[in-house]
Amino acid sequence: MANNTLKIAVIPGDGIGLEVMPYGVRCLEAAAKVFGIPLTFETFDFASCTFYQKHGDMLPPDWKEKLLGFDAIYFGAVGMPELVPDEVSLWGSLLKFRREFDQYINLRPCRLMAGVKSPLADRKPGDIDFWIVRENTEGEYSSIGGKIFEGTDRETVIQETVMTRTGIDRVLRYAFDLAQSRPRKRLTSATKSNGISITMPYWDSRVREMSLSYPDVNVDKYHIDILTAHFVQRPNIFDVVVGSNLFGDILSDLGPACTGTIGIAPSGNINPDRRFPSLFEPVHGSAPDIAGKGIANPIGMIWAGQMMMLHFGYQDAAAAMLRAIEKVLAGGDTNVITADLGGKGTTKSLGEAIEIEILAAKK
């Protein structure tokens, strides 16, 4: 995409999303300046609880038409439960984006960085460095089901897990391709076929079938219960981990937690076919308890922008952004680092420090 201008839709959303987004944009602009990447940004106020209060909906009627013209969505956070119930704000915005734009891959890095202390004993930078690939549009979160006999002692609730060959195969293909591109060439599949007797054995069968097309990728599988234990006890053995919607959801919080903090973790909701825009966001959420104080850590937002550059093939820019984050963290300046990492800094001090390092990068 080197000769095409990337059009980025910026949606700050709620809470600290409004505070960290400016530094995410500034760091992307810095990388674009250094590496000659043509970028344009357009900011939207929808997918926020403020918008909901004004309009009675999280999104305008023509939201899809508005966003279809963009290459990617840069998303801050959604949710202010004292104003709008979470099930309304989340299902009315972020989950709509994922499903209607067929963002069938959720991708999260798990990387222990210098300057961040892991809760796991004796782990140092380099010991934990893997990716989690989660199926993002079907599976256990299908929303198919219902209730009968409500309010009686016969009250019954059913929710279906829906797995399709198309849905499984495309997430596996993405995970295998990612594993094949990495030096270790190792893929771990999350399963529970010893307890879930229909969908999980089918998942395992598709992993076996897909592996035939990737003879250079080493494949193993673990049941989800022991896999979570291995994340804590032996995180260094993992390279790329793939799981269903539910299992991937669990692992993609546990993995970053093992690296010291979910607060700096990014996430990509990706449509690899590029028929629709992909969405990149920090994991930390809107954090209403600290919103407005200027102390939110902007690294998750900036790192999400780094993932965007990686997605579009700008490897050098992505590498420079990641190096900048790591250099500032490793420096450990308590006047720069935010309180969640033991410092006294602000969103501004940390965001600007990373921006300066990006601008100092060499092509």
Side-chain angles (χ1 to χ4, degrees):
M1 300 192 65
N3 297 320
N4 298 326
T5 297
L6 289 177
K7 295 179 63 179
I8 312 301
V10 175
I11 304 179
D14 293 313
I16 65 170
L18 293 159
E19 301 171 46
V20 297
M21 180 61 79
Y23 296 97
V25 171
R26 284 172 58 170
C27 287
L28 279 172
E29 289 175 332
K33 180 178 180 180
V34 173
F35 293 93
I37 301 168
L39 291 177
T40 62
F41 299 92
E42 184 174 345
T43 301
F44 296 93
D45 65 348
F46 52 71
S48 71
C49 293
T50 301
F51 185 90
Y52 182 90
Q53 287 187 305
K54 291 179 181 178
H55 302 280
D57 207 338
M58 293 296 293
L59 301 172
D62 61 346
W63 69 269
K64 194 169 184 179
E65 290 72 22
K66 286 180 181 290
L67 296 179
L68 273 173
F70 291 87
D71 296 295
I73 301 166
Y74 202 28
F75 192 83
V78 64
M80 295 294 282
E82 75 279 8
L83 301 178
V84 180
D86 283 340
E87 63 270 20
V88 173
S89 60
L90 184 61
W91 281 92
S93 59
L94 188 59
L95 294 181
K96 275 192 177 181
F97 297 154
R98 289 179 183 177
R99 294 195 172 178
E100 298 203 28
F101 286 151
D102 202 21
Q103 295 166 350
Y104 60 85
I105 298 295
N106 181 268
L107 182 65
R108 290 197 192 177
C110 302
R111 183 182 179 95
L112 178 56
M113 295 187 177
V116 180
K117 182 175 174 57
S118 171
L120 309 182
D122 302 322
R123 296 296 176 184
K124 59 186 185 300
D127 287 349
I128 306 174
D129 185 9
F130 62 92
W131 292 90
I132 296 172
V133 180
R134 166 189 171 189
E135 198 290 314
N136 210 33
T137 58
E138 56 174 48
E140 301 88 348
Y141 297 168
S142 68
S143 300
I144 296 174
K147 295 181 182 179
I148 57 174
F149 308 123
E150 291 186 61
T152 75
D153 58 3
R154 297 176 63 198
E155 190 169 60
T156 303
V157 180
I158 297 173
Q159 184 164 346
E160 302 287 353
T161 293
V162 176
M163 292 191 179
T164 64
R165 178 178 288 204
T166 295
I168 295 173
D169 282 3
R170 63 186 186 176
V171 72
L172 293 180
R173 188 173 297 109
Y174 186 94
F176 270 99
D177 285 342
L178 180 58
Q180 191 176 55
S181 73
R182 289 169 60 82
R184 294 170 66 185
K185 300 186 188 302
R186 179 173 183 175
L187 180 70
T188 298
S189 172
T191 186
K192 190 56 182 169
S193 49
N194 64 347
I196 300 174
S197 63
I198 299 173
T199 54
M200 282 291 107
Y202 182 68
W203 171 280
D204 292 348
S205 73
R206 298 315 302 160
V207 173
R208 287 192 298 272
E209 181 70 21
M210 188 67 66
S211 70
L212 299 177
S213 299
Y214 296 85
D216 57 335
V217 175
N218 298 307
V219 182
D220 55 24
K221 71 174 182 179
Y222 293 102
H223 296 297
I224 187 65
D225 38 7
I226 191 61
L227 180 54
T228 57
H230 288 326
F231 263 42
V232 174
Q233 295 174 325
R234 301 191 296 157
N236 55 295
I237 71 171
F238 298 110
D239 188 24
V240 176
V241 181
V242 64
S244 68
N245 209 334
L246 175 61
F247 292 172
D249 193 5
I250 294 166
L251 295 173
S252 59
D253 274 356
L254 177 58
C258 290
T259 68
T261 174
I262 297 178
I264 68 170
S267 175
N269 298 287
I270 297 171
N271 176 262
D273 314 317
R274 301 193 186 172
R275 293 176 53 241
F276 301 102
S278 296
L279 183 150
F280 299 88
E281 60 175 333
V283 173
H284 54 53
S286 59
D289 57 322
I290 62 168
K293 297 181 180 179
I295 58 172
N297 189 323
I299 288 178
M301 192 80 255
I302 297 166
W303 197 353
Q306 186 268 350
M307 288 183 68
M308 186 192 302
M309 291 291 95
L310 205 57
H311 173 67
F312 287 117
Y314 292 108
Q315 304 284 343
D316 292 342
M321 292 181 74
L322 189 59
R323 282 197 303 271
I325 293 169
E326 292 183 320
K327 185 173 181 179
V328 172
L329 284 174
D333 186 340
T334 57
N335 292 314
V336 170
I337 302 298
T338 47
D340 59 307
L341 296 176
K344 302 179 293 184
T346 63
T347 308
K348 182 177 186 291
S349 66
L350 184 49
E352 288 182 347
I354 295 170
E355 179 188 21
I356 290 169
E357 290 298 332
I358 295 170
L359 288 170
K362 296 181 179 179
K363 289 186 180 180

